[in-house]
Amino acid sequence: MLDKKLYIPEHVAIIMDGNGRWAKKRALPRTIGHKFGAENFRKITRYISKTGVKYLTLYAFSTENWKRPPEEIEGLMKLFHQYLIDSLTDFKDDDIKIVYIGDRTAFSPSLHKLINESQEQAKDRKGMVLNIAMNYGSRDEIVRAVKQLCNEAKDGKIDPDSITSKDISDRLYTGGIPDPDLIIRTGGEMRLSNFLLYQSAYSEYYSTDTLWPDFHEEDFDKAIIEFNRRNRRFGGV
Ligand code: FPP
């Protein structure tokens, strides 16, 4: 359990990487790695909601992940389906408000429907906000915001010379919520992979070699302890 004296970041984002390698180490198919990864997603989300974090954003599927072999995509879609159904009850008990970010229209009609239902069912919950990034890509998100602003300018609703960075932030999928304070990446890579590019301008970055299915409560606690050692200056001194 975390020391009460520690500062708990308001918004934490996680790149859940390493399911494939976790499975490979055990001579199992990659989809089994995703299965354990999905199980961990449910457990760690519940834990994080109890630590005082107000917003948690998890990268579940990127706009580039469609490039994976069809059998892996199929396995992932089945898992999303199952775990989203399970999370409806799990997260209800924890009062977690589920929000989906990304272009959900690309999913099958049944998954799309489930995503809409799950968000609708959770909309009045008062606990941690869980943003699940599904078919999410940050460049795509920025392009959408720019298009929206151009259309508003064309319609005379906004003066192009008065556009601020807040106007852009407000039109991102994460509009209205604070930027992430801490971005955690499991699986050891040191890159953002098209995740929250605009929002992460001053986020603290934390990378761990631990593979996602092995990332448990104590690993999250370590990231929070490290975050507390950082001296955030936001460009100041
Ligand atoms: C990265 O591991 C993980 C993914 C592409 C997404 C899978 C995420 C989950 C299964 C979490 C569950 C989320 C929900 C909403 C149920 P990788 O395949 O890139 O691993 P590798 O780098 O070791 O190959």
Side-chain angles (χ1 to χ4, degrees):
M1 204 56 206
L2 280 166
D3 187 328
K4 295 233 169 354
K5 289 199 281 287
L6 287 169
Y7 174 77
I8 302 297
E10 194 176 15
H11 184 177
V12 176
I14 308 183
I15 302 174
M16 307 179 285
D17 195 14
N19 295 341
R21 279 165 284 162
W22 186 92
K24 197 173 174 200
K25 270 170 64 178
R26 291 161 180 80
L28 293 167
R30 292 177 59 81
T31 43
I32 301 292
H34 293 314
K35 186 174 182 303
F36 279 85
E39 187 53 44
N40 196 40
F41 145 83
R42 272 167 71 204
K43 276 201 212 127
I44 200 84
T45 295
R46 289 206 303 278
Y47 173 66
I48 295 174
S49 79
K50 291 187 177 84
T51 63
V53 167
K54 299 224 168 16
Y55 302 90
L56 174 66
T57 302
L58 298 179
Y59 205 6
F61 194 82
S62 79
T63 44
E64 287 71 37
N65 284 151
W66 297 106
K67 293 180 199 153
R68 294 186 175 213
E71 57 278 13
E72 184 171 345
I73 301 282
E74 199 188 318
L76 273 169
M77 295 304 139
K78 276 195 191 141
L79 268 180
F80 289 148
H81 212 276
Q82 187 52 50
Y83 281 86
L84 294 186
I85 291 173
D86 294 345
S87 69
L88 290 179
T89 42
D90 270 8
F91 295 163
K92 186 168 186 252
D93 296 342
D94 294 277
D95 212 19
I96 295 172
K97 179 171 170 174
I98 313 168
V99 176
Y100 292 88
I101 62 171
D103 179 11
R104 64 184 80 161
T105 60
F107 295 113
S108 71
S110 62
L111 187 55
H112 189 175
K113 189 164 166 267
L114 179 63
I115 287 173
N116 289 344
E117 278 170 10
S118 135
Q119 182 162 306
E120 177 60 26
Q121 222 190 76
K123 72 178 187 332
D124 296 323
R125 296 190 197 154
K126 300 280 178 276
M128 183 183 79
V129 174
L130 167 66
N131 295 308
I132 305 180
M134 298 261 280
N135 194 27
Y136 170 89
S138 201
R139 286 187 170 177
D140 175 61
E141 177 186 40
I142 295 167
V143 168
R144 282 163 170 265
V146 169
K147 278 187 189 160
Q148 203 181 321
L149 280 168
C150 290
N151 282 322
E152 287 172 39
K154 199 169 68 184
D155 296 343
K157 290 184 189 141
I158 195 162
D159 170 10
D161 289 326
S162 72
I163 292 172
T164 62
S165 89
K166 182 173 181 302
D167 290 322
I168 298 177
S169 293
D170 287 347
R171 285 158 184 79
L172 300 174
Y173 288 121
T174 51
I177 73 163
D179 287 339
D181 301 291
L182 171 66
I183 298 185
I184 299 173
R185 181 168 187 145
T186 63
E189 309 284 3
M190 299 279 190
R191 54 177 172 261
L192 282 173
S193 300
N194 205 11
F195 187 48
L196 305 177
L197 301 183
Y198 195 85
Q199 299 90 329
S200 64
Y202 284 103
S203 304
E204 293 298 322
Y205 186 70
Y206 177 88
S207 170
T208 169
D209 288 337
T210 303
L211 303 173
W212 175 250
D214 290 331
F215 185 84
H216 302 309
E217 298 180 2
E218 56 280 14
D219 302 290
F220 180 76
D221 292 355
K222 270 191 212 162
I224 298 297
I225 292 164
E226 168 60 24
F227 175 80
N228 273 260
R229 290 195 191 109
R230 304 277 176 95
N231 175 14
R232 302 184 80 193
R233 291 189 295 278
F234 300 92
V237 284

